[in-house]
Amino acid sequence: MFGQWLRAPRQLRLVFIATMLLLSGTLGWLAWRLLDQDQQLLLQRLAEQRDTAADLVVAAMEKRLTAVEQDLDHVPAADSSKRLAQAEGAIVFQFLPDVIRAWPENRLIYYPELPHQPETPPALFAASEELEFKNHDYPGAIAALREAASSNDSKVRAAALVRIARNYAKAGQPRESIETYQGLANLGAVTVGGLPAALAASLAILGQQAEPPARLDAARSLYRDLNSGNWPISFAAYQYLSGEVALALPEAERPAPARLALAEGVEWLWERWHPARDSAALSANRASVPTSTGAVLLVWRIAGGEIHGFAADTGYLEKHWLADLKPLLDSRGVRLFLTNPDGRRVVGEPPSSGSRAAVRLASVTQLPWTLQVFQTSDGGGAWQSRRALLVAGIAVLLALILTGGWFIGRTVEHELAVAKLQSDFESTVSHEFRTPLTSLCQLSELLMRGRVAGEQDRQQYYEALHGESHRLRRLVEALLNFGRLDAGKLQFHFEKLDAAVFLRQSAAEFAQGQQAHGHRIEVETHAASSLIHADRETLRCVFWNLLENAVKYSPDCDTVWVELTKKGRQVEVAVRDRGVGIPRHEQRRIFEKFVRGSAERESGIRGTGIGLAMARQIVRAHGGDVSLESEPGKGSTFRVLLPEREA
Ligand code: ADP
């Protein structure tokens, strides 16, 4: 039942299309799954890359910190201190119970605290101060101070110079006053009035300059001296002097110095150390501390009553610790972002929102930072090109399947059509055989039983027997020839023929036989002599077939016209009838084997559908061709073109 349903071409086509769609759909689904899995795999690989990079960075940082800690055990041994603080941005320091020491000294622009420096005994300057404040005798006071100004004790000298400069100023001699301050500046770190002499001199000069250009210069010079770190200065003094500078110098000209971070870092630790020790904060031994100019790394060891510490700013970290890791990070296509445990940026740029990062928390790694490693690109580019490649491959595969399917479909349909034609052909041929055979049986039985009325009837029966057996013979010959021709085994025996003579003879023979059904064949030859090279027998079959068709398909006209003309170097034989004609859509197909006109099949006109196919093949074997002109209801003309042969 199902087999029969399947055999119907329409159903078969439906099943075929459904199969193709199913196949394509399955392929598409598989492709989609493949793409999805591919993306998952890529994401997983990227995550692994981030994780390994993060672990490597953690390990490298830990190694660095451990090395620093080991070196700190040997501070203040000169080589350890030097090694640790050899580059700009780092400093080594030591907190003794009341003193802070730093290497290199000038990198610490202020100290959280400085030991109290005893002032010079006031009695030393009692005489000059009496002259200055009571008598307002400034030159006298200056003269009284001269001796102290050349003292061997630099502290006494500094105190004397400050007083001389002050008296000059009061005496209305600003130039001399400033010159004296400049002399004081040469004493550098010697403290006077709680400040290093150089800074005290710069501050005093700034105080004396009222006019803008000179005042600005004095402020710039104080700003430079203040941040040079050349003279130890306490945090309180630093703040005071910075305030003075800020009054005289525009903000743009006094950026926060890079070294400020180190000083703020050291101060942070000092506050937790002195005087009441914050042991919870100190036990960590490592910290990343926010300052006004970025974070500072602090590493320290507590040994006895001392702290040995190391501080480094972000510039130092980037240049000396993280630069080594850059090739490793680059090779994995990842970037690093360090933050303080509270989330404030230390180094690097934060990942864009939505990008995945491998995070290592400070609390877990025991590093002073929380660390994030993220991909510089999301791998989208690589994935996109892989996806494009995969999609293209699948598209090609689909196209191949569909094209293949289309070809298979067409071939199957064609084969089905041929099979149908063949089965039609078989039933037609059986029918063609049965009719003459039945006649033969009946006639021979009548003759055998002697049931024939008279001699005339007997003669007619014999003629009928002759006609039917001829028809059978022609049918068998035609089938045999067709079989040979189809198998390419038909032998042609070419000879030189006069087309006109040959045509007249063939037509005359045809007209005499029963197959003419009384039709007249009018032959007209316009070419007196036209030689062709042909196989007489097969070519005769061709003409007879055309004539037989013309007779068969002209029920209402008893004449068939045959015309021979020369067309250039070709001989044309036209067989014309005024019969039923052939619809345009069938004109091409009727030359194919087993194909019969639909009207003919339905009206019951006998035929096998192989005549025209054979005719065309035979004519082509002669180097010519057959063409057709036809109009339904008006008739048809078949033209056989054959190459002419030289005489
Ligand atoms: P058949 O045995 O059916 O005549 P042919 O191969 O000789 O087979 O012809 C194929 C079909 O061509 C015929 O079935 C018929 O439909 C059409 N045909 C051929 N010759 C003519 C004609 N002279 N007039 C109309 N139809 C024709």
Side-chain angles (χ1 to χ4, degrees):
M1 176 74 181
F2 183 67
Q4 263 175 5
W5 182 81
L6 256 187
R7 230 165 281 147
R10 215 176 115 78
Q11 269 80 326
L12 191 74
R13 201 176 300 151
L14 275 177
V15 170
F16 185 71
I17 290 172
T19 314
M20 293 309 295
L21 286 177
L22 194 74
L23 202 70
S24 310
T26 313
L27 197 74
W29 181 78
L30 279 175
W32 181 78
R33 294 278 312 143
L34 202 73
L35 276 173
D36 194 44
Q37 277 182 5
D38 193 52
Q39 192 183 17
Q40 294 304 329
L41 228 96
L42 186 83
L43 289 178
Q44 199 177 327
R45 224 189 53 224
L46 291 178
E48 278 167 15
Q49 270 182 0
R50 289 194 298 268
D51 279 337
T52 9
D55 291 338
L56 285 170
V57 173
V58 168
M61 289 291 133
E62 182 58 47
K63 202 171 147 197
R64 291 276 191 178
L65 288 165
T66 314
V68 169
E69 282 164 0
Q70 280 168 1
D71 273 345
L72 283 178
D73 285 340
H74 307 293
V75 167
D79 54 340
S80 312
S81 311
K82 255 194 209 152
R83 186 167 51 243
L84 281 173
Q86 63 186 333
E88 185 62 47
I91 194 166
V92 175
F93 52 88
Q94 188 181 22
F95 294 168
L96 297 165
D98 282 314
V99 183
I100 301 168
R101 292 168 65 195
W103 298 271
E105 284 176 8
N106 68 345
R107 255 184 229 156
L108 200 57
I109 55 177
Y110 68 78
Y111 286 70
E113 245 177 68
L114 279 177
H116 180 71
Q117 301 278 343
E119 286 293 322
T120 43
L124 209 60
F125 301 109
S128 68
E129 277 175 5
E130 194 172 322
L131 287 169
E132 181 185 349
F133 295 111
K134 273 198 183 155
N135 306 344
H136 303 289
D137 176 7
Y138 307 122
I142 291 168
L145 287 163
R146 285 285 174 217
E147 192 184 339
S150 51
S151 158
N152 283 339
D153 184 343
S154 54
K155 271 191 168 197
V156 175
R157 214 158 61 230
L161 286 174
V162 168
R163 286 171 171 81
I164 292 173
R166 193 170 65 209
N167 280 294
Y168 272 133
K170 286 183 181 171
Q173 292 175 279
R175 210 164 51 83
E176 284 76 3
S177 170
I178 287 172
E179 277 170 12
T180 311
Y181 277 130
Q182 282 163 349
L184 173 70
N186 291 336
L187 291 176
V190 176
T191 45
V192 57
L195 287 178
L199 293 176
S202 289
L203 178 68
I205 292 172
L206 174 67
Q208 286 198 2
Q209 302 290 5
E211 294 309 310
R215 187 170 161 75
L216 273 179
D217 280 350
R220 283 187 197 117
S221 153
L222 178 57
Y223 171 78
R224 242 187 343 266
D225 290 345
L226 184 61
N227 293 306
S228 68
N230 286 341
W231 305 284
I233 176 174
S234 71
F235 175 54
Y238 182 84
Q239 267 191 320
Y240 165 65
L241 291 177
S242 297
E244 291 299 310
V245 171
L247 291 175
L249 207 58
E251 204 173 341
E253 285 203 47
R254 47 182 172 85
R259 288 176 175 183
L260 190 60
L262 292 178
E264 286 183 22
V266 172
E267 189 194 343
W268 179 90
L269 192 61
W270 176 257
E271 275 172 12
R272 277 150 191 79
W273 167 255
H274 189 85
R277 288 168 200 185
D278 177 355
S279 46
L282 290 172
S283 67
N285 281 350
R286 299 165 175 181
S288 177
V289 177
T291 71
S292 51
T293 55
V296 156
L297 164 71
L298 290 171
V299 185
W300 64 90
R301 296 287 248 195
I302 302 174
E306 302 177 8
I307 276 193
H308 299 169
F310 167 81
D313 63 17
T314 50
Y316 179 90
L317 287 182
E318 277 181 84
K319 201 165 161 200
H320 299 285
W321 286 20
L322 297 173
D324 292 355
L325 293 172
K326 199 172 177 317
L328 181 142
L329 297 173
D330 285 350
S331 70
R332 286 175 168 74
V334 292
R335 266 211 307 252
L336 184 65
F337 179 52
L338 290 186
T339 58
N340 282 339
D342 63 2
R344 266 188 267 186
R345 174 186 173 278
V346 175
V347 169
E349 291 305 319
S352 55
S353 64
S355 61
R356 296 157 203 248
V359 182
R360 299 290 180 269
L361 291 173
S363 53
V364 177
T365 57
Q366 303 303 320
L367 293 179
W369 316 280
T370 287
L371 194 141
Q372 289 185 51
V373 170
F374 58 95
Q375 249 83 27
T376 42
S377 73
D378 58 359
W383 185 69
Q384 230 128 62
S385 60
R386 272 158 65 137
R387 190 179 63 170
L389 208 74
L390 209 70
V391 168
I394 283 158
V396 168
L397 209 66
L398 264 176
L400 280 177
I401 288 178
L402 290 176
T403 323
W406 184 75
F407 273 114
I408 291 170
R410 254 181 68 105
T411 314
V412 168
E413 274 203 354
H414 182 252
E415 287 305 313
L416 279 175
V418 169
K420 166 118 186 27
L421 284 174
Q422 206 153 0
S423 95
D424 285 357
F425 169 72
E426 278 158 19
S427 71
T428 316
V429 167
S430 319
H431 188 71
E432 286 287 298
F433 271 105
R434 197 177 319 124
T435 319
L437 277 174
T438 315
S439 304
L440 281 177
C441 281
Q442 285 172 350
L443 288 170
S444 51
E445 195 178 336
L446 283 175
L447 287 168
M448 196 177 75
R449 294 185 193 270
R451 291 213 189 134
V452 188
E455 194 52 36
Q456 203 181 349
D457 281 358
R458 186 186 303 275
Q459 189 56 37
Q460 267 183 0
Y461 282 12
Y462 279 132
E463 277 175 17
L465 271 177
H466 179 73
E468 290 300 326
S469 49
H470 259 280
R471 199 171 135 196
L472 261 181
R473 205 191 75 191
R474 278 208 320 280
L475 194 61
V476 171
E477 269 176 9
L479 286 174
L480 282 175
N481 279 343
F482 174 71
R484 284 191 206 114
L485 200 65
D486 212 29
K489 286 183 183 157
L490 189 67
Q491 298 278 328
F492 292 98
H493 303 286
F494 289 101
E495 56 184 304
K496 212 189 294 175
L497 291 179
D498 185 325
V501 176
F502 168 75
L503 202 61
R504 282 183 186 285
Q505 260 178 14
S506 301
E509 281 169 21
F510 180 85
Q512 280 160 20
Q514 280 187 349
Q515 63 278 354
H517 290 288
H519 278 61
R520 253 175 350 112
I521 314 291
E522 276 192 15
V523 182
E524 212 174 312
T525 49
H526 297 293
S529 86
S530 37
L531 289 177
I532 54 170
H533 190 63
D535 178 89
R536 183 186 289 275
E537 271 313 301
T538 54
L539 205 58
R540 196 174 60 86
C541 281
V542 172
F543 285 127
W544 273 42
N545 188 270
L546 294 179
L547 290 171
E548 223 176 326
N549 281 350
V551 167
K552 244 189 337 187
Y553 301 119
S554 307
D556 302 328
C557 173
D558 62 357
T559 309
V560 175
W561 293 266
V562 178
E563 205 176 338
L564 178 87
T565 43
K566 273 222 266 186
K567 290 260 165 91
R569 310 214 43 176
Q570 286 182 309
V571 176
E572 185 192 89
V573 181
V575 178
R576 184 162 58 84
D577 63 60
R578 285 201 193 137
V580 292
I582 305 162
R584 181 162 286 276
H585 67 275
E586 288 184 353
Q587 288 182 6
R588 220 157 58 92
R589 287 209 63 217
I590 53 165
F591 286 97
E592 289 171 22
K593 61 185 179 185
F594 311 136
V595 176
R596 302 198 66 215
S598 49
E600 284 67 30
R601 265 185 292 138
E602 280 153 23
S603 63
I605 300 177
R606 283 154 56 183
T608 53
I610 57 172
L612 283 182
M614 269 176 71
R616 173 172 272 183
Q617 252 178 298
I618 291 170
V619 173
R620 283 185 176 169
H622 282 74
D625 208 351
V626 185
S627 63
L628 162 67
E629 264 173 46
S630 181
E631 213 176 309
K634 289 198 174 163
S636 316
T637 306
F638 285 87
R639 294 177 201 282
V640 176
L641 269 176
L642 289 165
E644 193 191 14
R645 198 181 153 84
E646 301 286 321

